[in-house]
């Protein structure tokens, strides 16, 4: 589970609800689109707050950022007992609706972990609204066997427990160094804030997206065929998709590749300054490309 440094929007950012043709989504937005706009999609059990330390450096570099809670994720409501609205194509169509409402296309799309697979699905449905795609700690197909086992445990627990009971069970299973955590930057107890976020998730969303993570097919060739600029970014350690696997995916995509030192599966939270620099460098390179020659 990702651990953002705070759940409070930084100075200059605002939390609000983005109205789209597919409903309203909770977002945190910052910056002006002097160079472009980026839509940021969080991962499994995560939220828009996972990108909270990226807003200021990206805004300072001239980029508008919109981090979003997906359907049934934290502060965006969704059905609690129906998995159909969380099919990957449905979530991908949500992303296309978000981009249409954000405006100022084309948009730089960033997806962390599960968010990367949803982002990929959105781009494959319609690449036209996107300037680039950054897959952050998000691999070519299903997650590692060890992580599939963890997801299966969660799905089995959700079948017989409510969300509060599952949270208590997760905490009991965590090693002491993962549960004895300091307060967040906003003074809230880390576990209390994370518990509040956990309870905001729809169990149907967790069941559906957990299944997706364990069964996702390899769609790298489809993505490569679009010839959209792609950035594969990860930490130097990752037990969800091995770093070597991400290296190979980047080669297959002809993608820009960044490995963030000192980061693991959540470089956006582990090393936000280095992650922001990598995103800015990639986007700035794209904006500096000469326009195609017009006969």
């Amino acid at each position: 589970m990702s651990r953002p440094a705070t759940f409070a929007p930084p100075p200059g950012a605002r939390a609000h609800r983005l109205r789209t043709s597919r409903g309203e989504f909770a977002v945190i937005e910052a910056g002006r689109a002097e160079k472009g706009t980026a839509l940021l999609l969080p991962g499994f059990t995560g939220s828009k707050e996972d990108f909270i330390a990226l807003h200021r450096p990206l805004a300072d570099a001239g980029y508008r950022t919109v981090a979003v809670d997906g359907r049934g994720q934290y502060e965006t409501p969704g059905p609690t007992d129906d998995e159909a609205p969380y099919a990957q194509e449905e979530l991908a169509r949500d992303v296309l609706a978000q981009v249409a409402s954000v405006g100022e296309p084309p948009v730089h799309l960033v997806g962390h972990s599960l968010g990367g697979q949803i982002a990929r699905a959105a781009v494959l449905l319609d690449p036209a609204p996107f300037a680039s795609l950054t897959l952050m700690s998000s691999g070519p197909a299903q997650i590692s066997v060890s992580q599939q086992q963890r997801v299966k445990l969660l799905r089995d627990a959700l079948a017989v427990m409510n969300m509060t009971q599952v949270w208590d069970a997760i905490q009991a299973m965590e090693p002491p160094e993962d549960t004895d955590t300091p307060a967040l930057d906003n003074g809230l107890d880390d576990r209390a804030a994370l518990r509040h976020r956990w309870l905001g998730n729809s169990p149907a969303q967790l069941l559906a997206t957990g299944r997706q993570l364990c069964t996702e097919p390899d769609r790298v060739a489809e993505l490569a065929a679009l010839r959209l600029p792609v950035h594969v970014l990860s930490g130097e350690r990752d037990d969800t998709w091995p770093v070597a696997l991400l290296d190979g995916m980047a080669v297959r995509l002809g993608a820009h590749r960044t490995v963030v030192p000192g980061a693991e599966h959540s470089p956006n939270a582990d090393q936000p300054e280095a992650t922001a620099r990598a995103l800015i460098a990639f986007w700035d390179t794209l904006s500096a490309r000469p326009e195609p020659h017009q006969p």
Side-chain angles (χ1 to χ4, degrees):
M1 183 179 294
S2 58
R3 297 177 184 268
T6 180
F7 276 69
R14 66 187 183 102
H16 67 99
R17 305 197 73 79
L18 180 70
R19 293 183 179 180
T20 80
S21 61
R22 291 175 63 87
E24 293 187 355
F25 296 85
V27 303
I28 295 176
E29 179 176 346
R32 298 177 61 185
E34 297 167 5
K35 295 181 180 178
T37 295
L39 182 67
L40 314 176
L41 311 181
F44 188 60
T45 74
S47 67
K48 60 190 179 302
E49 286 75 18
D50 293 343
F51 301 105
I52 212 154
L54 299 183
H55 289 293
R56 174 170 282 183
L58 295 180
D60 289 346
Y63 291 97
R64 174 187 175 210
T65 50
V66 182
V68 59
D69 286 337
R71 183 183 301 274
Q73 190 175 47
Y74 189 29
E75 293 183 324
T76 296
T80 60
D81 56 2
D82 181 5
E83 294 185 36
Y86 305 110
Q88 188 184 76
E89 182 172 333
E90 293 299 314
L91 299 178
R93 293 193 182 280
D94 285 348
V95 173
L96 294 175
Q98 292 157 12
V99 171
S101 293
V102 163
E104 299 171 343
V107 168
H108 296 290
L109 185 59
V110 179
H112 173 239
S113 194
L114 170 71
Q117 297 195 334
I118 295 169
R120 180 174 71 176
V123 166
L124 289 172
L125 280 174
D126 183 7
F130 302 105
S132 72
L133 170 63
T134 295
L135 299 172
M136 182 183 294
S137 303
S138 186
Q142 72 273 11
I143 56 178
S144 65
V145 172
S146 63
Q147 291 300 307
Q148 289 183 45
Q149 293 170 344
R150 290 173 65 94
V151 170
K152 184 180 184 303
L153 284 174
L154 173 58
R155 291 178 58 217
D156 290 346
L158 287 170
V160 296
M161 300 180 187
N162 62 35
M163 291 291 284
T164 299
Q165 292 169 329
V166 172
W167 171 261
D168 291 340
I170 290 172
Q171 296 309 293
M173 293 172 62
E174 291 288 349
E177 62 269 20
D178 287 343
T179 56
D180 186 15
T181 51
L184 298 169
D185 287 351
N186 59 7
L188 296 175
D189 176 71
D190 177 76
R191 279 176 290 174
L194 293 173
R195 180 180 183 275
H196 177 70
R197 176 173 69 174
W198 168 261
L199 294 177
N201 285 302
S202 159
Q205 180 264 127
L206 293 173
L207 288 167
T209 56
R211 185 178 296 106
Q212 291 169 29
L213 284 168
C214 296
T215 59
E216 177 74 2
D218 189 318
R219 305 186 71 185
V220 173
E222 293 175 68
L223 181 59
L226 297 179
R227 303 183 67 82
L228 180 75
V230 178
H231 183 190
V232 176
L233 185 152
S234 73
E236 62 182 353
R237 294 177 299 278
D238 197 315
D239 60 0
T240 304
W241 286 279
V243 172
L245 188 66
L246 299 174
D247 292 339
M249 181 178 72
V251 171
R252 294 169 61 196
L253 289 168
H256 184 72
R257 178 76 172 108
T258 299
V259 178
V260 179
E264 297 188 15
H265 185 60
S266 299
N268 43 323
D270 297 340
Q271 297 291 339
E273 293 183 5
T275 299
R277 287 195 300 268
L279 291 169
I280 292 164
F282 174 60
W283 296 336
D284 282 356
T285 298
L286 296 179
S287 64
R289 289 181 178 178
E291 293 293 326
H293 175 69
Q294 297 294 328

